[in-house]
Amino acid sequence: MQTVRDGKAGDVRLMQGNEALARGALEAGVSVAAGYPGTPSSEIIENLAKAAKDSDLYVEFSTNEKVALEVAASGSFAELRSLAVMKQVGVNVAADFLLHLVLYGTRGGMVLASCEDPGGLSSTNEGDSRHYAKMMEFPLLEPGDFQEAKDMMRWAFELSEEIRNLVMVRSVTRLSHASGRVGLGNLPEKKERAHLNVEGPPIGQMEGPIGALPVTLNFMHGRQQGKMRKAAEIFEDSPYNTYTGPDNPELLIVTSSSAWLYCTEAVDLLNAGDRVGILKLGCTYPLPPKLVTKHLSTTDKVFIVEELLPFLEDNVKTLAAEMGAALGHKTFYGKKDGSLPSTGELNPDVVMGGLAKILDIEPDASLAKYSEELEQVVGQSVVARSLTFCAGCPHRASFWSLHNALELDGRYGFMCGDIGCYTMGISPAGFGTLKSVHAMGSGIGLASGFGQLGQFGLDRPVLAACGDSTFFHAAVPALINAVHHNAKLVMVVLDNSGTGMTGFQPHPGLTYDAMGKQATPVDVAKVCRAIGASVTISDPFDVKGTTDTLLDLLEQDSGVRVLILRQMCALSPEKKLKKMYEVAVDQSICLGEACGCNRLCTRVFKCPALIWDASAGKALVDEVLCAGCGVCASICPSGAITRKEVA
Ligand code: SF4
Ligand code: SF4
């Protein structure tokens, strides 16, 4: 099996951005890597885990991002190079420890890789964690392409050791998940050994107790700010800040990350290379003041191109204001004046639109025509479909039973949701069963609060849903809160035996870890019982049994009742292609359009493997897509769907 370890210095490999980031960490001699899976970050830890055996490396998917940052920090405190990996929302989870960590600083080089999701392609928000660098005072690097992803990751460890503080490397989906050519460097031959010095004065950077106290806080904060000044000096000469274009451009673009490539393409398409200069910053916080002001002084018009919030725009404007009259008046374009949209991803077309307006250029009409034709072709050849659960997904069956039980109960019970594939329970795919979706663990946290509102007249049954990985990540403290405060609720753990949404990364409930080593499984049911909740376990594929169990639990109407709906994800490696049932529609029984519930199976239950046979006017099972869960046989009111156990 090829891993990111393979290949020697000078080789060129096609690498995904996350592979390049992992390779860069290996070239830097990383010893400890920890993260929590989340798109688009997961492949960094996965790739390091595959390379761990031959790299003298410890890798784990931690319970959550804060724990991952703490595990990685322990390596740094022991003077080993360490990496923490997460997506943008994970940085919020880690933020509490992060604030303390960057105040004290690090020993061995330490990098936080944050992979972000402009446009929320795989997220329920598009948070911008660059602001943490400013708010908490640590350096921020943003690679612009695949080669830089590898090289800057490697350099980030060196920088961290030079200033003795954490460095954030920020990627975005289009870098993390696209692929490009990467020239490889050397891998270190020998690793450092752990060296932990916690004896000595309380303000030592490399010795003494690790952390700040009220009496040492001022000293440490001053030391941290000194590190930031040093980082800014180093950034002045960084090769990752580049300029291309005329000496005195009519318009200066200041950009970073993948937006740099969009700018390059947009300038090219508008044939504006002789009018526009591009200052690409790889080191985006703190800004290198001399470098940026030198380029600002070459023009009167500045266009700042970045994704998400106007972070770079605000910082460049602040710097220009600080320079005052010396720099002269500048006109800034960017997100704040509407030259670029304030939300969502950028692309070359969007940047070209803003650029053409500023430069008063009419874009080549053939480009617009090309986009129109492309949209037409895509519209004709790609089938439009809404987000839904996979064929045989246990969540569809779970939500079917949950929805029906709530309807049968008749007291307008409602369910708070959480983050995972089952988030789709808020949409028609999950029959609109979930009524809230926020952060990891927030479903049970909100339910814990709603469960207390009886005294104010909220007497509807309260339920919460979370997945097994989410249970360990953030649901346990809220569950403890609910039990301790005698909240009245039913918590449903949708246990599909893995972190399904991000690709089956292990979690504490499983018997193996990220490196494939045997791990001690933590039992969800035992944890819940130990907390003091009652626990019932049901198979969601048993639709009637699950619905009846839920009705019983709803009827109990007191205390915290946990229902674990346990069935492995249809796409899990253990289950994939293994059918429990051969399933077929007996078209002689199927009522078709006359079916009491308006084609219940294909229009309401909507398993993608249930299709409509237009010529017969009846339902049909697509044998290729069908995962053989057998659930549809339980929902057809006419008994037209048959299932036969696979021997
Ligand atoms: S058995 Fe029915 S519900 Fe299950 S995957 Fe096949 S068609 Fe879908
Ligand atoms: S298979 Fe059953 S649910 Fe589907 S259309 Fe026929 S009768 Fe209706």
Side-chain angles (χ1 to χ4, degrees), residues 30-205:
V30 69
S31 292
V32 178
Y36 183 80
T39 309
S41 72
S42 313
E43 297 84 2
I44 300 176
I45 290 291
E46 284 178 339
N47 278 292
L48 288 172
K50 284 181 200 152
K53 197 162 152 272
D54 299 320
S55 304
D56 189 20
L57 174 62
Y58 175 74
V59 187
E60 70 170 44
F61 274 118
S62 309
T63 311
N64 65 33
E65 294 85 353
K66 177 172 176 279
V67 176
L69 191 69
E70 288 157 349
V71 167
S74 72
S76 168
F77 294 147
E79 297 184 34
L80 300 170
R81 289 191 169 182
S82 305
L83 174 67
V85 180
M86 53 204 69
K87 68 182 291 183
Q88 81 277 4
V89 284
V91 181
N92 303 330
V93 178
D96 194 3
F97 177 65
L98 183 60
L99 179 63
H100 293 82
L101 174 65
V102 294
L103 173 66
Y104 172 79
T106 52
R107 294 182 178 179
M110 181 164 177
V111 175
L112 166 59
S114 172
C115 302
E116 315 206 345
D117 189 11
L121 303 172
S122 313
S123 310
T124 49
N125 67 52
E126 50 173 8
D128 185 340
S129 60
R130 293 177 299 171
H131 293 264
Y132 280 107
K134 189 171 184 179
M135 183 167 74
M136 296 186 178
E137 299 170 284
F138 56 84
L140 171 66
L141 306 180
E142 295 187 69
D145 63 16
F146 309 97
Q147 185 68 51
E148 282 195 352
K150 183 197 74 82
D151 293 344
M152 287 176 85
M153 175 61 93
R154 181 179 176 151
W155 181 58
F157 285 94
E158 292 164 20
L159 175 66
S160 168
E161 270 170 21
E162 200 166 342
I163 62 165
R164 298 288 177 204
N165 213 337
L166 173 134
V167 173
M168 181 191 267
V169 174
R170 182 211 186 221
S171 175
V172 291
T173 307
R174 303 298 171 182
L175 176 62
S176 280
H177 279 176
S179 298
R181 285 160 58 87
V182 178
L184 304 184
N186 279 319
L187 293 171
E189 293 200 346
K190 208 165 138 266
K191 282 283 178 64
E192 295 298 327
R193 306 319 296 161
H195 177 74
L196 181 64
N197 185 342
V198 285
E199 285 74 39
I203 54 170
Q205 180 70 81

Side-chain angles (χ1 to χ4, degrees), residues 77-353:
F77 294 147
E79 297 184 34
L80 300 170
R81 289 191 169 182
S82 305
L83 174 67
V85 180
M86 53 204 69
K87 68 182 291 183
Q88 81 277 4
V89 284
V91 181
N92 303 330
V93 178
D96 194 3
F97 177 65
L98 183 60
L99 179 63
H100 293 82
L101 174 65
V102 294
L103 173 66
Y104 172 79
T106 52
R107 294 182 178 179
M110 181 164 177
V111 175
L112 166 59
S114 172
C115 302
E116 315 206 345
D117 189 11
L121 303 172
S122 313
S123 310
T124 49
N125 67 52
E126 50 173 8
D128 185 340
S129 60
R130 293 177 299 171
H131 293 264
Y132 280 107
K134 189 171 184 179
M135 183 167 74
M136 296 186 178
E137 299 170 284
F138 56 84
L140 171 66
L141 306 180
E142 295 187 69
D145 63 16
F146 309 97
Q147 185 68 51
E148 282 195 352
K150 183 197 74 82
D151 293 344
M152 287 176 85
M153 175 61 93
R154 181 179 176 151
W155 181 58
F157 285 94
E158 292 164 20
L159 175 66
S160 168
E161 270 170 21
E162 200 166 342
I163 62 165
R164 298 288 177 204
N165 213 337
L166 173 134
V167 173
M168 181 191 267
V169 174
R170 182 211 186 221
S171 175
V172 291
T173 307
R174 303 298 171 182
L175 176 62
S176 280
H177 279 176
S179 298
R181 285 160 58 87
V182 178
L184 304 184
N186 279 319
L187 293 171
E189 293 200 346
K190 208 165 138 266
K191 282 283 178 64
E192 295 298 327
R193 306 319 296 161
H195 177 74
L196 181 64
N197 185 342
V198 285
E199 285 74 39
I203 54 170
Q205 180 70 81
M206 300 300 287
E207 58 181 7
I210 307 156
L213 295 168
V215 286
T216 59
L217 191 150
N218 264 348
F219 167 80
M220 286 192 183
H221 199 179
R223 181 172 76 183
Q224 182 186 13
Q225 289 175 347
K227 293 173 184 181
M228 290 300 278
R229 286 190 290 277
K230 188 168 178 188
E233 269 171 40
I234 294 169
F235 288 173
E236 294 286 4
D237 300 317
S238 166
Y240 301 112
N241 303 321
T242 58
Y243 176 77
T244 47
D247 289 345
N248 288 96
E250 180 184 330
L251 178 76
L252 174 71
I253 293 179
V254 183
T255 186
S256 64
S257 189
S258 296
W260 166 49
L261 299 177
Y262 308 150
C263 292
T264 308
E265 193 170 334
V267 170
D268 208 34
L269 287 169
L270 289 177
N271 204 15
D274 55 343
R275 298 173 64 188
V276 178
I278 303 178
L279 176 61
K280 192 277 287 184
L281 295 173
C283 312
T284 44
Y285 198 81
L287 283 178
K290 289 185 205 142
L291 178 84
V292 176
T293 48
K294 182 183 97 180
H295 286 284
L296 291 180
S297 67
T298 61
T299 183
D300 294 332
K301 290 199 238 169
V302 184
F303 183 24
I304 297 161
V305 181
E306 64 193 311
E307 289 180 307
L308 299 176
L309 295 170
F311 175 78
L312 196 55
E313 184 172 339
D314 284 347
N315 293 335
V316 170
K317 283 178 177 172
T318 302
L319 186 63
E322 283 165 4
M323 296 307 292
L327 199 60
H329 177 76
K330 306 286 166 202
T331 304
F332 287 98
Y333 305 91
K335 288 180 176 275
K336 288 191 163 175
D337 77 320
S339 294
L340 290 174
S342 59
T343 60
E345 281 192 304
L346 298 180
N347 61 41
D349 286 345
V350 173
V351 176
M352 193 166 62

